[in-house]
Amino acid sequence: MKHFPVSERSLKLPRPLNLIGNEFLPAASGAEMDVLSPLDGKPFTTIADSGADDIDAAVAAARAAFDGGAWSKLSAAERGRLMLRLSALILDNSEDLAQLETADNGKPIVQSRADMQVTARYFEFYGGAADKVHGEIVPFLQGYNVEVQREPHGVTGHIIPWNYPAQMFGRSVAPALAMGNATVLKPAEDACLTALRIGELAVEAGFPAGALNIVTGRGDVAGKALSEHRGIDFISFTGSPEVGVMIQTAAARNFISCTLELGGKSPQILFEDADLEAAIPVVIKALIQNGGQTCSAGTRALVHRSLWDRVVADLKTAFEGIEASASDETAVLGPLISARQKNRVERYIAEADAPLIARGGIADGTPEGGYYVAPAIFGPCAPDAKIAQEEVFGPVLAMIPFDDEADAIRIANGTEYGLVAAVWTKDGARQQRMAKALRCGQVFINGYGAGGGVELPFGGIRKSGHGREKGFAALLEFSHIKTVVNHHG
Ligand code: NAD
């Protein structure tokens, strides 16, 4: 199997510059940082290592666009048309973007291609929705007309992670633009090249200056400066719970609201009547997709005791056949994002407080220096074992047996997180009971969708965060209500 080093790939690299007011600019300090490819751990380009000055400039550009600039003068339909043009440009450039994503993030090329379709779909969905957000008329006293209007917040800040760089860009920024906000994006320093390239495409599509600004750099410098900036009116964050707390604290200090999407420990619940032929491949994909670095990865398999031996045998066989690799086209599991993430996941595996059921491998000839981790399954895990409670963010599955429905509900709801859950049963009444009992933001019945699902409101409760992304719900998050009471007599 051929593993292409990044140096042999013909990549269309974006300008390693910030996008501020439709100009491509280096960091004010001139500082740059290396971009390492997870495929081989080697640097292959640079990005701007921006500071508070750059965030100031981006927020000022967004403010000018929102307060009287060309962006503010567009009708909702015109905004939508620009977004549809960007969606088409993403599709036209999807293969180049996918190659770039794989070099930058390490994910298998098949996954990167799927990601570009989803990214284009975000701009298509929200472009189409831009002129479909209506206000309401409220019946009130005689002589009054009362309108409830939806207005954009103003300047919105967006801080996104490295696991789905292009998709997260679309998911966070597209609904904000559709509502007419002017945006400042701080993508993740570990993988942000497709965000920069899509920024170039936005300029090509004709977005007016300041509608979309992108500033790269470190979380504790550029990210912090954005989250604390007094010039932003709303902040959308996806990433770790630890940083989520800082974002919410900064938002509180500025008296603005925020959405937080902070990950999960999502259960796949297999009842005694589950269709295992259908369920097992989905359980594997929901974990292995993106190397387990998915907020909604199905990282806990809750299995009825009557099925335990069979499910363990099937998953053991499957996992022992999975190899992490950098090969194009056939790879299902790539490297993790960074040496730090690899070490974190290896530590969870080494210190797991449950028996190891199976371990996959790392393919022969995989480039040295890449961040490859062989997948692992543990079980039977106690529901409160560390490996069954904490978000590992790697290809690690915790299997937990259960006895009955009440037991399954207790275990499924028994973590600090609450993002997604799946229920595998043919019993219609049980499907309804489980959907009601599970404490999380999305429930799949006899299926699972980690990522994608642009139309489906998505988000969590408790440590998984709050607020909703995706679907029409995201448009409402990126707007606020103004009630206009007109006493006409
Ligand atoms: P992180 O929260 O540090 O980074 C996410 C984003 O926040 C990045 O853009 C980063 O630059 C920015 N950031 C970091 N510190 C900041 C600060 N002080 N102020 C403002 N912005 C800041 O996540 P990570 O360190 O890359 O990953 C650590 C763990 O977080 C992972 O192992 C995983 O468990 C979790 N995670 C979850 C998601 C998700 O989709 N929910 C995504 C990435 C990571």
Side-chain angles (χ1 to χ4, degrees), residues 118-154:
V118 179
T119 307
R121 177 84 185 110
Y122 276 114
F123 285 96
E124 181 185 58
F125 179 84
Y126 289 110
D131 58 355
K132 297 176 185 65
V133 182
H134 295 239
E136 292 169 2
I137 303 286
V138 178
F140 193 49
L141 304 173
Q142 280 300 335
Y144 285 83
N145 182 56
V146 179
E147 292 173 7
V148 176
Q149 302 177 357
R150 282 236 159 236
E151 291 197 336
H153 292 296

PDB file of all heavy atoms in Angstrom, residues 118-154:
ATOM      1  N   VAL A 118     -20.505  18.335   2.956  1.00  0.00           N
ATOM      2  CA  VAL A 118     -21.296  18.857   4.081  1.00  0.00           C
ATOM      3  C   VAL A 118     -21.053  20.363   4.230  1.00  0.00           C
ATOM      4  O   VAL A 118     -21.984  21.141   4.486  1.00  0.00           O
ATOM      5  CB  VAL A 118     -20.967  18.103   5.394  1.00  0.00           C
ATOM      6  CG1 VAL A 118     -21.764  18.670   6.561  1.00  0.00           C
ATOM      7  CG2 VAL A 118     -21.236  16.613   5.253  1.00  0.00           C
ATOM      8  N   THR A 119     -19.799  20.794   4.058  1.00  0.00           N
ATOM      9  CA  THR A 119     -19.485  22.222   4.192  1.00  0.00           C
ATOM     10  C   THR A 119     -20.268  23.033   3.157  1.00  0.00           C
ATOM     11  O   THR A 119     -20.885  24.067   3.479  1.00  0.00           O
ATOM     12  CB  THR A 119     -17.968  22.461   4.003  1.00  0.00           C
ATOM     13  OG1 THR A 119     -17.270  21.599   4.900  1.00  0.00           O
ATOM     14  CG2 THR A 119     -17.593  23.900   4.279  1.00  0.00           C
ATOM     15  N   ALA A 120     -20.262  22.540   1.911  1.00  0.00           N
ATOM     16  CA  ALA A 120     -21.029  23.226   0.853  1.00  0.00           C
ATOM     17  C   ALA A 120     -22.513  23.246   1.213  1.00  0.00           C
ATOM     18  O   ALA A 120     -23.217  24.235   1.004  1.00  0.00           O
ATOM     19  CB  ALA A 120     -20.814  22.519  -0.475  1.00  0.00           C
ATOM     20  N   ARG A 121     -22.975  22.154   1.783  1.00  0.00           N
ATOM     21  CA  ARG A 121     -24.392  22.030   2.152  1.00  0.00           C
ATOM     22  C   ARG A 121     -24.778  23.060   3.226  1.00  0.00           C
ATOM     23  O   ARG A 121     -25.889  23.589   3.215  1.00  0.00           O
ATOM     24  CB  ARG A 121     -24.634  20.593   2.629  1.00  0.00           C
ATOM     25  CG  ARG A 121     -26.001  20.292   3.107  1.00  0.00           C
ATOM     26  CD  ARG A 121     -26.982  19.952   1.999  1.00  0.00           C
ATOM     27  NE  ARG A 121     -28.299  19.802   2.562  1.00  0.00           N
ATOM     28  CZ  ARG A 121     -29.321  20.644   2.379  1.00  0.00           C
ATOM     29  NH1 ARG A 121     -29.198  21.665   1.575  1.00  0.00           N
ATOM     30  NH2 ARG A 121     -30.471  20.448   2.956  1.00  0.00           N
ATOM     31  N   TYR A 122     -23.857  23.359   4.159  1.00  0.00           N
ATOM     32  CA  TYR A 122     -24.168  24.391   5.156  1.00  0.00           C
ATOM     33  C   TYR A 122     -24.479  25.721   4.469  1.00  0.00           C
ATOM     34  O   TYR A 122     -25.444  26.408   4.804  1.00  0.00           O
ATOM     35  CB  TYR A 122     -23.002  24.588   6.142  1.00  0.00           C
ATOM     36  CG  TYR A 122     -23.023  23.598   7.289  1.00  0.00           C
ATOM     37  CD1 TYR A 122     -22.022  22.647   7.435  1.00  0.00           C
ATOM     38  CD2 TYR A 122     -24.049  23.620   8.227  1.00  0.00           C
ATOM     39  CE1 TYR A 122     -22.042  21.735   8.476  1.00  0.00           C
ATOM     40  CE2 TYR A 122     -24.088  22.710   9.276  1.00  0.00           C
ATOM     41  CZ  TYR A 122     -23.083  21.771   9.392  1.00  0.00           C
ATOM     42  OH  TYR A 122     -23.124  20.871  10.420  1.00  0.00           O
ATOM     43  N   PHE A 123     -23.639  26.095   3.492  1.00  0.00           N
ATOM     44  CA  PHE A 123     -23.869  27.386   2.834  1.00  0.00           C
ATOM     45  C   PHE A 123     -25.112  27.327   1.951  1.00  0.00           C
ATOM     46  O   PHE A 123     -25.811  28.331   1.788  1.00  0.00           O
ATOM     47  CB  PHE A 123     -22.608  27.823   2.072  1.00  0.00           C
ATOM     48  CG  PHE A 123     -21.552  28.314   3.017  1.00  0.00           C
ATOM     49  CD1 PHE A 123     -20.537  27.467   3.468  1.00  0.00           C
ATOM     50  CD2 PHE A 123     -21.598  29.608   3.520  1.00  0.00           C
ATOM     51  CE1 PHE A 123     -19.594  27.904   4.392  1.00  0.00           C
ATOM     52  CE2 PHE A 123     -20.662  30.053   4.443  1.00  0.00           C
ATOM     53  CZ  PHE A 123     -19.652  29.201   4.881  1.00  0.00           C
ATOM     54  N   GLU A 124     -25.401  26.136   1.414  1.00  0.00           N
ATOM     55  CA  GLU A 124     -26.612  25.971   0.608  1.00  0.00           C
ATOM     56  C   GLU A 124     -27.856  26.075   1.496  1.00  0.00           C
ATOM     57  O   GLU A 124     -28.798  26.817   1.199  1.00  0.00           O
ATOM     58  CB  GLU A 124     -26.574  24.606  -0.079  1.00  0.00           C
ATOM     59  CG  GLU A 124     -27.762  24.315  -0.953  1.00  0.00           C
ATOM     60  CD  GLU A 124     -27.696  22.891  -1.502  1.00  0.00           C
ATOM     61  OE1 GLU A 124     -27.644  21.938  -0.702  1.00  0.00           O
ATOM     62  OE2 GLU A 124     -27.704  22.730  -2.730  1.00  0.00           O
ATOM     63  N   PHE A 125     -27.848  25.315   2.588  1.00  0.00           N
ATOM     64  CA  PHE A 125     -29.020  25.283   3.482  1.00  0.00           C
ATOM     65  C   PHE A 125     -29.302  26.683   4.035  1.00  0.00           C
ATOM     66  O   PHE A 125     -30.427  27.184   3.964  1.00  0.00           O
ATOM     67  CB  PHE A 125     -28.780  24.286   4.628  1.00  0.00           C
ATOM     68  CG  PHE A 125     -29.910  24.205   5.613  1.00  0.00           C
ATOM     69  CD1 PHE A 125     -31.009  23.400   5.368  1.00  0.00           C
ATOM     70  CD2 PHE A 125     -29.890  24.949   6.787  1.00  0.00           C
ATOM     71  CE1 PHE A 125     -32.074  23.326   6.280  1.00  0.00           C
ATOM     72  CE2 PHE A 125     -30.936  24.890   7.697  1.00  0.00           C
ATOM     73  CZ  PHE A 125     -32.029  24.071   7.443  1.00  0.00           C
ATOM     74  N   TYR A 126     -28.260  27.326   4.591  1.00  0.00           N
ATOM     75  CA  TYR A 126     -28.490  28.631   5.220  1.00  0.00           C
ATOM     76  C   TYR A 126     -28.635  29.741   4.177  1.00  0.00           C
ATOM     77  O   TYR A 126     -29.327  30.737   4.431  1.00  0.00           O
ATOM     78  CB  TYR A 126     -27.393  28.935   6.249  1.00  0.00           C
ATOM     79  CG  TYR A 126     -27.548  28.047   7.462  1.00  0.00           C
ATOM     80  CD1 TYR A 126     -26.641  27.025   7.732  1.00  0.00           C
ATOM     81  CD2 TYR A 126     -28.650  28.193   8.306  1.00  0.00           C
ATOM     82  CE1 TYR A 126     -26.812  26.191   8.825  1.00  0.00           C
ATOM     83  CE2 TYR A 126     -28.827  27.354   9.401  1.00  0.00           C
ATOM     84  CZ  TYR A 126     -27.908  26.364   9.659  1.00  0.00           C
ATOM     85  OH  TYR A 126     -28.100  25.527  10.732  1.00  0.00           O
ATOM     86  N   GLY A 127     -28.002  29.567   3.008  1.00  0.00           N
ATOM     87  CA  GLY A 127     -28.234  30.524   1.922  1.00  0.00           C
ATOM     88  C   GLY A 127     -29.703  30.500   1.520  1.00  0.00           C
ATOM     89  O   GLY A 127     -30.340  31.549   1.341  1.00  0.00           O
ATOM     90  N   GLY A 128     -30.259  29.304   1.417  1.00  0.00           N
ATOM     91  CA  GLY A 128     -31.671  29.164   1.056  1.00  0.00           C
ATOM     92  C   GLY A 128     -32.608  29.671   2.143  1.00  0.00           C
ATOM     93  O   GLY A 128     -33.738  30.083   1.873  1.00  0.00           O
ATOM     94  N   ALA A 129     -32.134  29.629   3.382  1.00  0.00           N
ATOM     95  CA  ALA A 129     -32.998  30.013   4.521  1.00  0.00           C
ATOM     96  C   ALA A 129     -32.924  31.509   4.833  1.00  0.00           C
ATOM     97  O   ALA A 129     -33.756  32.023   5.581  1.00  0.00           O
ATOM     98  CB  ALA A 129     -32.589  29.217   5.763  1.00  0.00           C
ATOM     99  N   ALA A 130     -31.920  32.213   4.247  1.00  0.00           N
ATOM    100  CA  ALA A 130     -31.652  33.603   4.664  1.00  0.00           C
ATOM    101  C   ALA A 130     -32.899  34.479   4.583  1.00  0.00           C
ATOM    102  O   ALA A 130     -33.125  35.335   5.444  1.00  0.00           O
ATOM    103  CB  ALA A 130     -30.526  34.192   3.810  1.00  0.00           C
ATOM    104  N   ASP A 131     -33.729  34.284   3.551  1.00  0.00           N
ATOM    105  CA  ASP A 131     -34.902  35.159   3.381  1.00  0.00           C
ATOM    106  C   ASP A 131     -36.191  34.480   3.851  1.00  0.00           C
ATOM    107  O   ASP A 131     -37.278  34.846   3.434  1.00  0.00           O
ATOM    108  CB  ASP A 131     -35.029  35.608   1.914  1.00  0.00           C
ATOM    109  CG  ASP A 131     -35.136  34.429   0.965  1.00  0.00           C
ATOM    110  OD1 ASP A 131     -35.013  33.273   1.428  1.00  0.00           O
ATOM    111  OD2 ASP A 131     -35.345  34.653  -0.242  1.00  0.00           O
ATOM    112  N   LYS A 132     -36.039  33.498   4.739  1.00  0.00           N
ATOM    113  CA  LYS A 132     -37.248  32.779   5.185  1.00  0.00           C
ATOM    114  C   LYS A 132     -37.461  32.876   6.697  1.00  0.00           C
ATOM    115  O   LYS A 132     -38.253  32.145   7.272  1.00  0.00           O
ATOM    116  CB  LYS A 132     -37.185  31.319   4.731  1.00  0.00           C
ATOM    117  CG  LYS A 132     -37.180  31.278   3.203  1.00  0.00           C
ATOM    118  CD  LYS A 132     -37.036  29.978   2.549  1.00  0.00           C
ATOM    119  CE  LYS A 132     -36.920  30.147   1.044  1.00  0.00           C
ATOM    120  NZ  LYS A 132     -35.708  30.866   0.587  1.00  0.00           N
ATOM    121  N   VAL A 133     -36.725  33.792   7.326  1.00  0.00           N
ATOM    122  CA  VAL A 133     -36.940  34.010   8.757  1.00  0.00           C
ATOM    123  C   VAL A 133     -37.934  35.161   8.887  1.00  0.00           C
ATOM    124  O   VAL A 133     -37.622  36.291   8.544  1.00  0.00           O
ATOM    125  CB  VAL A 133     -35.614  34.367   9.469  1.00  0.00           C
ATOM    126  CG1 VAL A 133     -35.849  34.550  10.962  1.00  0.00           C
ATOM    127  CG2 VAL A 133     -34.582  33.287   9.216  1.00  0.00           C
ATOM    128  N   HIS A 134     -39.135  34.833   9.354  1.00  0.00           N
ATOM    129  CA  HIS A 134     -40.199  35.831   9.410  1.00  0.00           C
ATOM    130  C   HIS A 134     -40.422  36.306  10.833  1.00  0.00           C
ATOM    131  O   HIS A 134     -40.190  35.561  11.774  1.00  0.00           O
ATOM    132  CB  HIS A 134     -41.513  35.237   8.921  1.00  0.00           C
ATOM    133  CG  HIS A 134     -41.492  34.858   7.477  1.00  0.00           C
ATOM    134  ND1 HIS A 134     -42.351  35.380   6.564  1.00  0.00           N
ATOM    135  CD2 HIS A 134     -40.695  34.013   6.795  1.00  0.00           C
ATOM    136  CE1 HIS A 134     -42.090  34.868   5.376  1.00  0.00           C
ATOM    137  NE2 HIS A 134     -41.087  34.038   5.489  1.00  0.00           N
ATOM    138  N   GLY A 135     -40.933  37.504  10.968  1.00  0.00           N
ATOM    139  CA  GLY A 135     -41.383  37.980  12.264  1.00  0.00           C
ATOM    140  C   GLY A 135     -42.815  37.522  12.520  1.00  0.00           C
ATOM    141  O   GLY A 135     -43.352  36.676  11.806  1.00  0.00           O
ATOM    142  N   GLU A 136     -43.420  38.113  13.567  1.00  0.00           N
ATOM    143  CA  GLU A 136     -44.797  37.747  13.917  1.00  0.00           C
ATOM    144  C   GLU A 136     -45.571  39.016  14.261  1.00  0.00           C
ATOM    145  O   GLU A 136     -44.986  40.033  14.637  1.00  0.00           O
ATOM    146  CB  GLU A 136     -44.807  36.859  15.187  1.00  0.00           C
ATOM    147  CG  GLU A 136     -44.221  35.496  14.993  1.00  0.00           C
ATOM    148  CD  GLU A 136     -44.006  34.773  16.323  1.00  0.00           C
ATOM    149  OE1 GLU A 136     -44.354  35.335  17.385  1.00  0.00           O
ATOM    150  OE2 GLU A 136     -43.472  33.656  16.269  1.00  0.00           O
ATOM    151  N   ILE A 137     -46.884  38.915  14.120  1.00  0.00           N
ATOM    152  CA  ILE A 137     -47.769  39.990  14.596  1.00  0.00           C
ATOM    153  C   ILE A 137     -48.491  39.441  15.836  1.00  0.00           C
ATOM    154  O   ILE A 137     -49.032  38.338  15.793  1.00  0.00           O
ATOM    155  CB  ILE A 137     -48.825  40.346  13.533  1.00  0.00           C
ATOM    156  CG1 ILE A 137     -48.169  40.762  12.209  1.00  0.00           C
ATOM    157  CG2 ILE A 137     -49.780  41.420  14.051  1.00  0.00           C
ATOM    158  CD1 ILE A 137     -47.538  42.122  12.190  1.00  0.00           C
ATOM    159  N   VAL A 138     -48.454  40.191  16.924  1.00  0.00           N
ATOM    160  CA  VAL A 138     -49.096  39.719  18.168  1.00  0.00           C
ATOM    161  C   VAL A 138     -50.396  40.486  18.383  1.00  0.00           C
ATOM    162  O   VAL A 138     -50.387  41.723  18.409  1.00  0.00           O
ATOM    163  CB  VAL A 138     -48.156  39.962  19.377  1.00  0.00           C
ATOM    164  CG1 VAL A 138     -48.819  39.516  20.668  1.00  0.00           C
ATOM    165  CG2 VAL A 138     -46.843  39.238  19.180  1.00  0.00           C
ATOM    166  N   PRO A 139     -51.545  39.774  18.519  1.00  0.00           N
ATOM    167  CA  PRO A 139     -52.787  40.492  18.831  1.00  0.00           C
ATOM    168  C   PRO A 139     -52.670  41.158  20.200  1.00  0.00           C
ATOM    169  O   PRO A 139     -52.241  40.514  21.154  1.00  0.00           O
ATOM    170  CB  PRO A 139     -53.852  39.379  18.854  1.00  0.00           C
ATOM    171  CG  PRO A 139     -53.155  38.097  18.584  1.00  0.00           C
ATOM    172  CD  PRO A 139     -51.691  38.327  18.496  1.00  0.00           C
ATOM    173  N   PHE A 140     -52.986  42.448  20.278  1.00  0.00           N
ATOM    174  CA  PHE A 140     -52.828  43.183  21.553  1.00  0.00           C
ATOM    175  C   PHE A 140     -54.066  44.051  21.755  1.00  0.00           C
ATOM    176  O   PHE A 140     -55.135  43.753  21.239  1.00  0.00           O
ATOM    177  CB  PHE A 140     -51.517  44.001  21.465  1.00  0.00           C
ATOM    178  CG  PHE A 140     -51.028  44.576  22.744  1.00  0.00           C
ATOM    179  CD1 PHE A 140     -50.928  43.805  23.896  1.00  0.00           C
ATOM    180  CD2 PHE A 140     -50.650  45.912  22.818  1.00  0.00           C
ATOM    181  CE1 PHE A 140     -50.468  44.348  25.079  1.00  0.00           C
ATOM    182  CE2 PHE A 140     -50.188  46.467  23.999  1.00  0.00           C
ATOM    183  CZ  PHE A 140     -50.086  45.680  25.129  1.00  0.00           C
ATOM    184  N   LEU A 141     -53.928  45.135  22.435  1.00  0.00           N
ATOM    185  CA  LEU A 141     -55.076  45.994  22.719  1.00  0.00           C
ATOM    186  C   LEU A 141     -55.568  46.680  21.450  1.00  0.00           C
ATOM    187  O   LEU A 141     -54.799  46.826  20.487  1.00  0.00           O
ATOM    188  CB  LEU A 141     -54.655  47.069  23.739  1.00  0.00           C
ATOM    189  CG  LEU A 141     -54.073  46.556  25.061  1.00  0.00           C
ATOM    190  CD1 LEU A 141     -53.542  47.724  25.888  1.00  0.00           C
ATOM    191  CD2 LEU A 141     -55.131  45.777  25.830  1.00  0.00           C
ATOM    192  N   GLN A 142     -56.820  47.121  21.476  1.00  0.00           N
ATOM    193  CA  GLN A 142     -57.341  47.898  20.356  1.00  0.00           C
ATOM    194  C   GLN A 142     -56.436  49.111  20.123  1.00  0.00           C
ATOM    195  O   GLN A 142     -55.987  49.749  21.068  1.00  0.00           O
ATOM    196  CB  GLN A 142     -58.772  48.395  20.670  1.00  0.00           C
ATOM    197  CG  GLN A 142     -59.851  47.360  20.468  1.00  0.00           C
ATOM    198  CD  GLN A 142     -59.922  46.847  19.031  1.00  0.00           C
ATOM    199  OE1 GLN A 142     -59.516  47.537  18.094  1.00  0.00           O
ATOM    200  NE2 GLN A 142     -60.403  45.626  18.859  1.00  0.00           N
ATOM    201  N   GLY A 143     -56.182  49.461  18.879  1.00  0.00           N
ATOM    202  CA  GLY A 143     -55.388  50.651  18.587  1.00  0.00           C
ATOM    203  C   GLY A 143     -53.894  50.404  18.577  1.00  0.00           C
ATOM    204  O   GLY A 143     -53.091  51.332  18.478  1.00  0.00           O
ATOM    205  N   TYR A 144     -53.487  49.143  18.690  1.00  0.00           N
ATOM    206  CA  TYR A 144     -52.048  48.833  18.694  1.00  0.00           C
ATOM    207  C   TYR A 144     -51.716  47.849  17.583  1.00  0.00           C
ATOM    208  O   TYR A 144     -52.514  46.951  17.267  1.00  0.00           O
ATOM    209  CB  TYR A 144     -51.629  48.177  20.008  1.00  0.00           C
ATOM    210  CG  TYR A 144     -51.532  49.127  21.166  1.00  0.00           C
ATOM    211  CD1 TYR A 144     -52.672  49.481  21.884  1.00  0.00           C
ATOM    212  CD2 TYR A 144     -50.307  49.670  21.548  1.00  0.00           C
ATOM    213  CE1 TYR A 144     -52.599  50.349  22.953  1.00  0.00           C
ATOM    214  CE2 TYR A 144     -50.231  50.536  22.629  1.00  0.00           C
ATOM    215  CZ  TYR A 144     -51.372  50.872  23.330  1.00  0.00           C
ATOM    216  OH  TYR A 144     -51.283  51.732  24.384  1.00  0.00           O
ATOM    217  N   ASN A 145     -50.550  48.022  17.003  1.00  0.00           N
ATOM    218  CA  ASN A 145     -49.988  46.982  16.133  1.00  0.00           C
ATOM    219  C   ASN A 145     -48.679  46.532  16.776  1.00  0.00           C
ATOM    220  O   ASN A 145     -47.821  47.368  17.094  1.00  0.00           O
ATOM    221  CB  ASN A 145     -49.714  47.544  14.736  1.00  0.00           C
ATOM    222  CG  ASN A 145     -49.184  46.481  13.808  1.00  0.00           C
ATOM    223  OD1 ASN A 145     -49.831  45.451  13.628  1.00  0.00           O
ATOM    224  ND2 ASN A 145     -48.016  46.705  13.252  1.00  0.00           N
ATOM    225  N   VAL A 146     -48.552  45.243  17.029  1.00  0.00           N
ATOM    226  CA  VAL A 146     -47.339  44.748  17.703  1.00  0.00           C
ATOM    227  C   VAL A 146     -46.616  43.777  16.777  1.00  0.00           C
ATOM    228  O   VAL A 146     -47.176  42.761  16.353  1.00  0.00           O
ATOM    229  CB  VAL A 146     -47.678  44.052  19.032  1.00  0.00           C
ATOM    230  CG1 VAL A 146     -46.403  43.523  19.687  1.00  0.00           C
ATOM    231  CG2 VAL A 146     -48.394  45.005  19.964  1.00  0.00           C
ATOM    232  N   GLU A 147     -45.385  44.127  16.455  1.00  0.00           N
ATOM    233  CA  GLU A 147     -44.556  43.238  15.624  1.00  0.00           C
ATOM    234  C   GLU A 147     -43.447  42.637  16.472  1.00  0.00           C
ATOM    235  O   GLU A 147     -42.830  43.337  17.274  1.00  0.00           O
ATOM    236  CB  GLU A 147     -43.874  44.034  14.500  1.00  0.00           C
ATOM    237  CG  GLU A 147     -44.822  44.569  13.471  1.00  0.00           C
ATOM    238  CD  GLU A 147     -44.100  45.489  12.503  1.00  0.00           C
ATOM    239  OE1 GLU A 147     -42.850  45.586  12.566  1.00  0.00           O
ATOM    240  OE2 GLU A 147     -44.801  46.127  11.707  1.00  0.00           O
ATOM    241  N   VAL A 148     -43.190  41.358  16.269  1.00  0.00           N
ATOM    242  CA  VAL A 148     -42.026  40.711  16.884  1.00  0.00           C
ATOM    243  C   VAL A 148     -41.035  40.459  15.752  1.00  0.00           C
ATOM    244  O   VAL A 148     -41.295  39.662  14.853  1.00  0.00           O
ATOM    245  CB  VAL A 148     -42.428  39.400  17.580  1.00  0.00           C
ATOM    246  CG1 VAL A 148     -41.195  38.695  18.136  1.00  0.00           C
ATOM    247  CG2 VAL A 148     -43.424  39.671  18.700  1.00  0.00           C
ATOM    248  N   GLN A 149     -39.942  41.198  15.801  1.00  0.00           N
ATOM    249  CA  GLN A 149     -38.964  41.115  14.710  1.00  0.00           C
ATOM    250  C   GLN A 149     -37.747  40.308  15.149  1.00  0.00           C
ATOM    251  O   GLN A 149     -37.401  40.295  16.323  1.00  0.00           O
ATOM    252  CB  GLN A 149     -38.509  42.521  14.314  1.00  0.00           C
ATOM    253  CG  GLN A 149     -39.659  43.421  13.894  1.00  0.00           C
ATOM    254  CD  GLN A 149     -39.188  44.841  13.582  1.00  0.00           C
ATOM    255  OE1 GLN A 149     -38.011  45.169  13.736  1.00  0.00           O
ATOM    256  NE2 GLN A 149     -40.122  45.681  13.158  1.00  0.00           N
ATOM    257  N   ARG A 150     -37.093  39.657  14.194  1.00  0.00           N
ATOM    258  CA  ARG A 150     -35.838  38.936  14.474  1.00  0.00           C
ATOM    259  C   ARG A 150     -34.700  39.751  13.893  1.00  0.00           C
ATOM    260  O   ARG A 150     -34.675  40.027  12.698  1.00  0.00           O
ATOM    261  CB  ARG A 150     -35.847  37.563  13.798  1.00  0.00           C
ATOM    262  CG  ARG A 150     -36.656  36.572  14.549  1.00  0.00           C
ATOM    263  CD  ARG A 150     -35.827  35.331  14.904  1.00  0.00           C
ATOM    264  NE  ARG A 150     -36.485  34.668  16.008  1.00  0.00           N
ATOM    265  CZ  ARG A 150     -35.913  34.380  17.158  1.00  0.00           C
ATOM    266  NH1 ARG A 150     -34.654  34.671  17.373  1.00  0.00           N
ATOM    267  NH2 ARG A 150     -36.584  33.777  18.107  1.00  0.00           N
ATOM    268  N   GLU A 151     -33.755  40.115  14.737  1.00  0.00           N
ATOM    269  CA  GLU A 151     -32.626  40.919  14.278  1.00  0.00           C
ATOM    270  C   GLU A 151     -31.320  40.173  14.482  1.00  0.00           C
ATOM    271  O   GLU A 151     -31.201  39.379  15.433  1.00  0.00           O
ATOM    272  CB  GLU A 151     -32.546  42.203  15.108  1.00  0.00           C
ATOM    273  CG  GLU A 151     -33.663  43.155  14.846  1.00  0.00           C
ATOM    274  CD  GLU A 151     -33.333  44.551  15.357  1.00  0.00           C
ATOM    275  OE1 GLU A 151     -32.493  44.667  16.267  1.00  0.00           O
ATOM    276  OE2 GLU A 151     -33.927  45.507  14.823  1.00  0.00           O
ATOM    277  N   PRO A 152     -30.317  40.421  13.632  1.00  0.00           N
ATOM    278  CA  PRO A 152     -29.000  39.823  13.884  1.00  0.00           C
ATOM    279  C   PRO A 152     -28.399  40.425  15.157  1.00  0.00           C
ATOM    280  O   PRO A 152     -28.749  41.528  15.552  1.00  0.00           O
ATOM    281  CB  PRO A 152     -28.184  40.236  12.655  1.00  0.00           C
ATOM    282  CG  PRO A 152     -28.894  41.424  12.094  1.00  0.00           C
ATOM    283  CD  PRO A 152     -30.351  41.281  12.449  1.00  0.00           C
ATOM    284  N   HIS A 153     -27.468  39.671  15.792  1.00  0.00           N
ATOM    285  CA  HIS A 153     -26.823  40.204  16.998  1.00  0.00           C
ATOM    286  C   HIS A 153     -25.935  41.400  16.660  1.00  0.00           C
ATOM    287  O   HIS A 153     -25.824  42.332  17.426  1.00  0.00           O
ATOM    288  CB  HIS A 153     -25.935  39.135  17.646  1.00  0.00           C
ATOM    289  CG  HIS A 153     -26.698  37.993  18.223  1.00  0.00           C
ATOM    290  ND1 HIS A 153     -27.574  38.136  19.273  1.00  0.00           N
ATOM    291  CD2 HIS A 153     -26.705  36.671  17.904  1.00  0.00           C
ATOM    292  CE1 HIS A 153     -28.100  36.957  19.580  1.00  0.00           C
ATOM    293  NE2 HIS A 153     -27.592  36.053  18.760  1.00  0.00           N
ATOM    294  N   GLY A 154     -25.235  41.319  15.533  1.00  0.00           N
ATOM    295  CA  GLY A 154     -24.269  42.362  15.165  1.00  0.00           C
ATOM    296  C   GLY A 154     -22.978  41.699  14.726  1.00  0.00           C
ATOM    297  O   GLY A 154     -22.935  41.024  13.692  1.00  0.00           O
TER     298      GLY A 154
END
